[in-house]
Amino acid sequence: MPQCVDDLIYVIRPYWHPSHNRPSQGLGPLEEALGRALPTDLKAFLLWSGGGQGCFPEGYMQLWEPAAIVPLNQGYQVQRYLGPDVVGFGTDGGPTLLALDYRTGLSPTIAAVDLGDLDTSCMKEVAPDFSTLLRKYLSGDITNRNLFP
């Protein structure tokens, strides 16, 4: 299984449909608006894809375009219900939010939670980092049935 994000991007290409709105100014404005740095692997992926969606053998993932991350977090009231240390960045194409969980430190884990029940007690860690999340989707370890119970 590929280790670095560039190798993952190469492997994921057949499954991924990038956004047409790739960030022309990099991700500095997003990180400034969030008040924190994004993980390196997620940044590399967003710079390549601009968000988009992937249909994997057993699951689906939609990543929000970088320009939409702050407005969608506000619209879904993510920080109001989950706190300032949780940042949504996509969904499973349905009711499950994919989020960066910074509550444990500078290196966030990837968590899933139902958009209809935004409660930290209901959050489930699904991967230690974004690259592992992609590998789990590629291998079928994450499916639309087990991403969030």
Side-chain angles (χ1 to χ4, degrees):
M1 195 48 90
Q3 294 303 312
C4 80
V5 74
D6 290 334
D7 292 340
L8 279 167
I9 288 170
Y10 179 79
V11 172
I12 209 166
R13 283 180 188 271
Y15 304 99
W16 198 259
H17 302 283
S19 166
H20 296 291
N21 296 320
R22 293 186 178 104
S24 60
Q25 299 178 2
L27 297 173
L30 172 60
E31 291 177 313
E32 186 176 320
L34 293 173
R36 61 183 75 240
L38 294 171
T40 305
D41 53 355
L42 178 59
K43 282 173 65 169
F45 197 83
L46 286 173
L47 287 170
W48 167 72
S49 71
Q53 55 210 335
C55 194
F56 300 96
E58 299 293 325
Y60 180 84
M61 178 176 24
Q62 179 184 33
L63 291 186
W64 297 336
E65 293 179 358
I69 289 175
V70 170
L72 286 170
N73 273 270
Q74 292 169 342
Y76 286 118
Q77 301 184 50
V78 172
Q79 283 72 41
R80 176 180 178 195
Y81 292 107
L82 300 177
D85 294 326
V86 177
V87 177
F89 65 89
T91 70
D92 67 344
T96 303
L97 176 72
L98 294 169
L100 298 168
D101 185 356
Y102 288 91
R103 293 177 302 159
T104 58
L106 293 176
S107 232
T109 58
I110 307 299
V113 64
D114 189 309
L115 279 166
D117 188 17
L118 292 176
D119 184 334
T120 54
S121 68
C122 298
M123 287 177 58
K124 170 186 171 184
E125 182 181 323
V126 292
D129 54 53
F130 183 72
S131 293
T132 302
L133 178 73
L134 290 178
R135 285 193 291 275
K136 286 183 166 190
Y137 267 105
L138 284 166
S139 69
D141 287 345
I142 287 183
T143 71
N144 282 7
R145 293 177 305 283
N146 73 8
L147 179 62
F148 191 77

